[in-house]
Amino acid sequence: MALEKFDLWQKAGTFEGMNFKNFQLQFKNKLCLGFLFFATIIQHLVLAQSAKDVAVEVFVTTQIAPPKITLNWVNNSTTTGYRVAKKLPGQPWPAVNFWTSLPGSSSQFVDTNVSAGVIYEYHIERAASNYFGIGHVSAGIKLPEVHHRGKLILLIAENLADSLSFEIQRLKEDMEGDGWEVKKHVVLDTTRVPAVKNIIRSLYLADTVNTKSVFIIGHIAVPYSGNFAVDNHADHRGAWPADVFYADMDGVWTDISVNTTNGPARIHNIPGDGKYDQNTIVDAELEVGRLDLSRMPAFSQSEIQLTRNYLNKNHAYRKKEFTAIKRAVIDDNFGYFGEEAFASGAFRNFAALVGPQNVVQGDYLTSMANGQSYLWSYGCGGGSFTNVSGVASTNNFATSNLGGVFTMLFGSYFGDWDVPNNVLRAPLCQGKTLTNAWSGRPYWILHWMGLGYTMGHSTKLTQNNNRDYWANWGYRLIHMALMGDPTLRNDVVSPVSNVVAERNGFHVDLSWAASTQANVLGYNVYWKSRNQGKYTRLNDSLVTSLNFNHQCLPDSGIYQYMVRAMVLETTPSGSYYNMSEGVADTVFMPTSLSLLATASATLQPNSSTVNFNASARLGSDFLWEFGDDSTSLEQNPVHTYLTTGDYEPRVIVRNDCVSDTINLLVSITRITHVSHSSVSSQFKIFPNPSDGRFSITSNQNMHGARLEVSNSQGQNIFKKNLNEFRTEVNLSLYPKGIFGIQIVTKYGDRFLRKVILE
């Protein structure tokens, strides 16, 4: 059965040295790749129409209430049946007897056993009488937004660091605006492979949980490893470039066993030469991408200028200064190729990224010429280090301005990219192209980018693929490498503009101009100090206005504020909350909120009167509690105690952000003005309780006395000078409760009572 054939075919892909006697290729005027296949499989082959037949082009539609995910695919009239498997990320695929079988006429699978906010993975197989097809998609409904993507190690070649300092700093800020915490390191030209690995590993070990990615800019030392020829050319068997060495943080890499001097000296591999023995990947912990535009003399510009051009278009893509049309072009010059069908990987991936209806088969160069926009592209054909037969050569790229952003190329030789004018690196030197990969042996796994994941995530997933996804010859080999920025994503949201952060005392007022993106749901606001690498979100819920106030910055220093627009992105893989990259502004806080408060209490000689003093660098309010149920809001009050004893007065110093409390100790050994008549008999308050209207009377003239009323929090709310034997007080406008009454005579004597308003 065709469904069984795939398992055998996958296993075949792990071996070399096949018998090709009875296999003939039908490609005229093309330099074809060597083909590796078991003779037991070859005898069953019957050519299908195209590589497209081998791909099940799956795309997703979703429903929110009730939650439903519908898998759709392009049917094929020769199909005899389908089967579908489902799992959660990180889990194994279920046993085959738990898969869902569907008739050959099917073009849809409906799954209602789903929940919003969860990612589901689906595997679809197509069976036909003479070929076998596979598709994968990761799907979800309203997946949550990603605020923090982790730490990224940015390695800059020494010869580029100064000349491109502006562009590199801008790139760092762009990456931070997408949730990365960037650790930048300039690598000296003399630094060898083990030392580069040590730089990466030390940064990784400092935070193994959050360190996710590495972006190498420039011709930093290239690791080589192995003894193989994945393109099956005898003169190309030896050590290949192996950037995955920089992605593996705990694998064992040796340089003791391989001994080959086949081919050019660059791929020779002998014990102790600094090239490693391993052919296969244990596991990649990091997502590695490289931008190396050195040694490209076919282009008239220098490495520095080519790299500057790349960083400029990288920034423009991220900020949506140009809009990539979500469509793809495939230029397939190999066809079915005995079931390997190299372009089938493109058909599978592109269906989940742009939709199969937006995928065309056409000429690579003419389709994208003069900036004609395509988000994705793929081309394969017989090759050399500088040419993909039927697709493009390095010289073609040198005179082109192609509008494709993400591309993949495949053919002989040039997957070994560390040579001058290499055609795998050439697309990055022109047009809008930002990434490239040698995809065909093996197929690359890109469909996760339809849910907002990065190109680096796809790179790591492809390198670590242990047949969890489609796999053919070349999987788990060390040659897989990404040319370009690993942090780029498939779906870009237009950012805000004109972000302005203005200091207002200890607060910051933030404003911005709206994103031009349609259907913006709102904005997220973040901040960090200049010395921090990670932004922290300030808002609990989306901000729907174009301004935000951040109160009470605690410390002095330089702060950065960033705003990101959010939309609900709908793609052929489902829906997820997607954010623009942030746009930031800087504000300087000259001083910290620290009050530096001090207080003192000085007892006047031979009395019970105390002079209180308080000071604070930034204090605006002072509340004194004297320890005898009386209070004052004055900064430096004078208070007379009526009885002897030890008191514990305190002052609470405040501004509109912070407060500080200072406790004191006062010992009273004698009472001031004890010769006057009894204080308790001088004043009467009635009625008490009252509705807020009450009278104060005295048996003597109250001239020179003053009335102070405080609420239950000790705050003075009412003051009045007293001059007669009777005074009327009206507090009826104040809330009901208990209030403190303090009458201070002209001699400093105090009468303390409580009144109740009800």
Side-chain angles (χ1 to χ4, degrees):
M1 290 178 60
L3 291 175
E4 296 170 344
K5 190 182 298 181
F6 176 64
D7 292 334
L8 182 58
W9 173 59
Q10 282 188 313
K11 294 173 184 176
T14 64
F15 296 90
E16 300 184 16
M18 306 305 172
N19 186 345
F20 307 113
K21 287 183 180 179
N22 299 320
F23 190 83
Q24 295 182 350
L25 303 180
Q26 305 298 322
F27 305 107
K28 186 179 292 184
N29 299 323
K30 304 227 182 250
L31 175 62
C32 296
L33 285 164
F35 183 66
L36 305 172
F37 236 50
F38 277 123
T40 55
I41 294 179
I42 292 174
Q43 62 186 352
H44 292 291
L45 296 181
V46 179
L47 292 181
Q49 295 177 355
S50 70
K52 187 176 181 179
D53 293 327
V54 182
V56 181
E57 298 172 88
V58 186
F59 63 100
V60 166
T61 54
T62 63
Q63 176 179 292
I64 297 172
K68 180 171 69 175
I69 293 175
T70 301
L71 308 186
N72 309 275
W73 55 81
V74 179
N75 201 349
N76 188 308
S77 60
T78 62
T79 302
T80 58
Y82 291 94
R83 61 183 186 183
V84 179
K86 170 189 173 184
K87 73 180 184 71
L88 294 174
Q91 293 184 352
W93 292 104
V96 172
N97 56 308
F98 290 101
W99 294 19
T100 301
S101 296
L102 299 171
S105 59
S106 302
S107 60
Q108 196 175 80
F109 172 76
V110 179
D111 189 359
T112 57
N113 185 24
V114 296
S115 299
V118 179
I119 296 176
Y120 301 94
E121 295 190 70
Y122 298 92
H123 173 100
I124 304 93
E125 293 181 355
R126 166 191 287 146
S129 60
N130 61 344
Y131 66 89
F132 182 82
I134 300 174
H136 273 101
V137 70
S138 297
I141 305 170
K142 287 190 171 183
L143 300 177
E145 70 273 25
V146 177
H147 297 284
H148 302 296
R149 297 189 179 275
K151 292 183 178 179
L152 175 134
I153 301 168
L154 183 61
L155 300 184
I156 313 297
E158 179 185 17
N159 67 307
L160 302 177
D162 290 338
S163 299
L164 299 177
S165 59
F166 169 79
E167 289 81 5
I168 291 168
Q169 178 60 29
R170 183 183 61 190
L171 173 67
K172 178 176 179 291
E173 292 171 358
D174 286 346
M175 290 173 166
E176 290 174 345
D178 200 27
W180 292 97
E181 184 177 352
V182 180
K183 301 295 183 181
K184 187 176 72 172
H185 192 99
V186 175
V187 179
L188 300 180
D189 295 340
T190 56
T191 308
R192 298 173 66 86
V193 167
V196 175
K197 176 72 167 279
N198 286 338
I199 293 169
I200 296 171
R201 195 165 186 272
S202 63
L203 292 169
Y204 171 78
L205 291 177
D207 188 353
T208 59
V209 174
N210 294 303
T211 306
K212 305 292 185 183
S213 191
V214 179
F215 187 19
I216 301 169
I217 298 181
H219 190 65
I220 291 170
V222 179
Y224 277 73
S225 188
N227 181 24
F228 64 95
V230 70
D231 56 3
N232 203 44
H233 287 278
D235 62 347
H236 201 194
R237 185 182 185 91
W240 282 44
D243 268 355
V244 71
F245 173 75
Y246 290 144
D248 181 8
M249 293 292 98
D250 54 14
V252 176
W253 295 73
T254 60
D255 182 17
I256 57 176
S257 60
V258 172
N259 191 347
T260 179
T261 55
N262 179 65
R266 182 179 57 84
I267 65 172
H268 291 180
N269 193 354
I270 60 177
D273 64 351
K275 298 173 185 175
Y276 298 97
D277 302 320
Q278 281 64 39
N279 286 342
T280 58
I281 299 164
V282 177
D283 265 316
E285 281 74 40
L286 299 176
E287 307 161 358
V288 176
R290 181 189 288 262
L291 175 66
D292 182 354
L293 305 185
S294 66
R295 301 160 300 141
M296 300 296 286
F299 294 84
S300 59
Q301 295 176 315
S302 67
E303 176 192 1
I304 289 174
Q305 188 58 49
L306 289 173
T307 307
R308 177 179 287 114
N309 295 344
Y310 177 93
L311 295 176
N312 285 339
K313 65 183 175 182
N314 185 303
H315 174 75
Y317 174 76
R318 290 171 174 276
K319 293 299 189 277
K320 212 169 186 178
E321 294 176 7
F322 69 89
T323 300
I325 298 177
K326 292 187 177 179
R327 59 182 180 175
V329 59
I330 296 175
D331 189 351
D332 179 14
N333 293 278
F334 276 134
Y336 187 61
F337 208 86
E339 282 195 5
E340 272 199 280
F342 305 117
S344 65
F347 284 107
R348 293 185 191 104
N349 283 305
F350 295 167
L353 300 177
V354 301
Q357 72 279 9
N358 297 315
V359 179
V360 299
Q361 298 183 66
D363 183 76
Y364 186 93
L365 286 175
T366 57
S367 295
M368 296 183 288
N370 301 316
Q372 295 182 82
S373 180
Y374 283 81
L375 185 60
W376 286 92
S377 58
Y378 179 86
C380 65
S384 69
F385 284 111
T386 61
N387 180 62
V388 190
S389 182
V391 180
S393 68
T394 296
N395 287 333
N396 292 143
F397 285 115
T399 58
S400 295
N401 176 28
L402 304 185
V405 176
F406 301 101
T407 195
M408 296 181 290
L409 297 174
F410 184 68
S412 293
Y413 292 101
F414 66 86
D416 169 9
W417 53 265
D418 188 29
V419 295
N421 275 336
N422 175 264
V423 74
L424 196 68
R425 296 187 288 124
L428 277 59
C429 296
Q430 57 77 52
K432 297 291 194 296
T433 309
L434 292 172
T435 70
N436 193 11
W438 198 66
S439 178
R441 284 184 174 167
Y443 313 120
W444 272 53
I445 301 164
L446 304 167
H447 62 276
W448 279 80
M449 294 181 71
L451 294 177
Y453 285 77
T454 66
M455 190 67 193
H457 178 268
S458 297
T459 304
K460 178 181 172 183
L461 204 61
T462 302
Q463 292 167 338
N464 287 342
N465 181 23
N466 197 22
R467 300 197 304 184
D468 293 323
Y469 303 95
W470 55 78
N472 62 330
W473 163 240
Y475 85 100
R476 301 294 287 193
L477 292 184
I478 55 85
H479 68 290
M480 287 174 276
L482 173 66
M483 304 293 105
D485 184 347
T487 69
L488 295 172
R489 299 192 287 120
N490 190 73
D491 308 306
V492 180
V493 177
S494 295
V496 303
S497 59
N498 300 324
V499 175
V500 177
E502 292 184 323
R503 184 174 65 86
N504 179 12
F506 291 105
H507 316 306
V508 172
D509 295 323
L510 199 65
S511 63
W512 58 90
S515 165
T516 58
Q517 186 89 9
N519 302 320
V520 170
L521 301 175
Y523 303 92
N524 283 313
V525 181
Y526 307 80
W527 79 312
K528 71 181 183 75
S529 71
R530 176 62 65 86
N531 296 327
Q532 292 175 315
K534 178 181 176 181
Y535 279 97
T536 299
R537 185 167 61 140
L538 290 171
N539 53 298
D540 295 324
S541 58
L542 275 180
V543 178
T544 55
S545 64
L546 299 178
N547 53 73
F548 186 84
N549 176 257
H550 183 209
Q551 297 189 344
C552 302
L553 272 71
D555 297 307
S556 60
I558 298 174
Y559 293 90
Q560 289 177 288
Y561 286 84
M562 181 177 74
V563 182
R564 302 179 70 181
M566 189 164 81
V567 301
L568 180 61
E569 192 83 52
T570 300
T571 77
S573 297
S575 62
Y576 69 98
Y577 289 103
N578 189 18
M579 287 193 289
S580 71
E581 287 194 350
V583 178
D585 193 24
T586 300
V587 69
F588 174 64
M589 179 60 64
T591 186
S592 73
L593 276 174
S594 177
L595 291 168
L596 302 179
T598 62
S600 63
T602 304
L603 182 63
Q604 295 181 6
N606 302 316
S607 74
S608 60
T609 300
V610 179
N611 297 330
F612 290 97
N613 292 92
S615 66
R617 181 172 58 91
L618 299 172
S620 57
D621 297 303
F622 300 84
L623 171 61
W624 284 94
E625 297 174 349
F626 298 114
D628 60 356
D629 294 327
S630 56
T631 61
S632 174
L633 295 177
E634 298 178 29
Q635 180 175 350
N636 301 309
V638 177
H639 180 66
T640 300
Y641 289 92
L642 304 181
T643 59
T644 59
D646 293 331
Y647 296 89
E648 296 181 352
R650 67 175 184 171
V651 61
I652 303 172
V653 184
R654 296 188 179 97
N655 57 32
D656 56 355
C657 288
V658 295
S659 66
D660 194 7
T661 300
I662 300 175
N663 296 298
L664 301 172
L665 181 64
V666 172
S667 294
I668 303 299
T669 59
R670 60 182 302 173
I671 301 301
T672 303
H673 300 305
V674 293
S675 60
H676 290 285
S677 57
S678 171
V679 172
S680 63
S681 64
Q682 286 184 6
F683 298 100
K684 303 290 185 183
I685 297 176
F686 64 92
N688 189 14
S690 73
D691 63 358
R693 299 177 181 87
F694 55 86
S695 300
I696 300 177
T697 63
S698 175
N699 57 9
Q700 54 186 286
N701 194 306
M702 292 184 285
H703 179 73
R706 71 177 185 274
L707 168 68
E708 297 176 357
V709 181
S710 59
N711 60 20
S712 59
Q713 285 76 45
Q715 300 170 324
N716 280 346
I717 62 168
F718 184 84
K719 291 183 180 181
K720 185 175 183 178
N721 292 327
L722 307 179
N723 292 302
E724 306 293 339
F725 289 91
R726 181 185 177 103
T727 297
E728 303 299 326
V729 179
N730 186 354
L731 301 180
S732 60
L733 297 179
Y734 289 89
K736 307 303 181 185
I738 300 175
F739 292 80
I741 298 295
Q742 179 172 256
I743 298 173
V744 184
T745 70
K746 62 182 179 181
Y747 304 109
D749 297 324
R750 295 174 181 267
F751 172 71
L752 305 174
R753 287 286 298 276
K754 285 183 170 53
V755 296
I756 300 173
L757 274 59
E758 61 180 19

